[in-house]
Amino acid sequence: MRAIVLFAHGSRDPLWHLPMQAVAQRVAQHLPSARVTCAYLELSSPSLDAAVQQLVDDGCTEVRVVPMFLGVGKHVREDLPSMLQSLIDQHPLITFEPLPAIGEHPDLLDLMAQIAIKGWQNPV
């Protein structure tokens, strides 16, 4: 079974989680054969370790990790690779597929630009 983990920073504010959960719901609607879950670096649960453990316990053998970060800072450059290596070491029979940070994807960059100019008569 395949799984997708949407990995974000996290927040103590429960309203902060709503967009992440909305993305997870949309992914699940488009790919009903996969398990979709959110995981967080800090301030929220589940952690990436806990989310992956639950997926493995549920029989998932392929896990795609999508970093839901707009910018590529220390968390994406250093923390996440270390966390992924730990997961690979803990679960050698599981195939992990880490994707680049969502903020690096050209489609998202184009969408954000479209949102910024939407409604202007003469966009630049």
Side-chain angles (χ1 to χ4, degrees), residues 24-123:
Q25 289 172 348
R26 289 178 180 180
V27 171
Q29 288 171 347
H30 290 288
L31 193 60
S33 63
R35 290 281 312 275
V36 181
T37 191
C38 297
Y40 304 99
L41 178 66
E42 57 188 15
L43 306 174
S44 302
S45 61
S47 66
L48 184 58
D49 283 346
V52 167
Q53 186 61 59
Q54 184 62 57
L55 293 168
V56 170
D57 291 347
D58 291 345
C60 294
T61 57
E62 298 176 41
V63 179
R64 174 179 279 186
V65 178
V66 183
M68 302 296 283
F69 291 79
L70 289 179
V72 178
K74 180 181 180 294
H75 292 318
V76 174
R77 277 193 326 272
E78 297 175 20
D79 299 337
L80 181 55
S82 175
M83 295 168 81
L84 284 168
Q85 187 58 56
S86 177
L87 288 169
I88 291 166
D89 294 344
Q90 291 173 45
H91 306 284
L93 301 178
I94 305 302
T95 302
F96 288 94
E97 180 188 4
L99 295 186
I102 198 85
E104 294 183 319
H105 198 287
D107 291 347
L108 181 62
L109 299 174
D110 289 342
L111 179 59
M112 289 190 297
Q114 290 172 19
I115 290 168
I117 63 174
K118 185 175 182 173
W120 279 29
Q121 294 297 330
N122 298 311

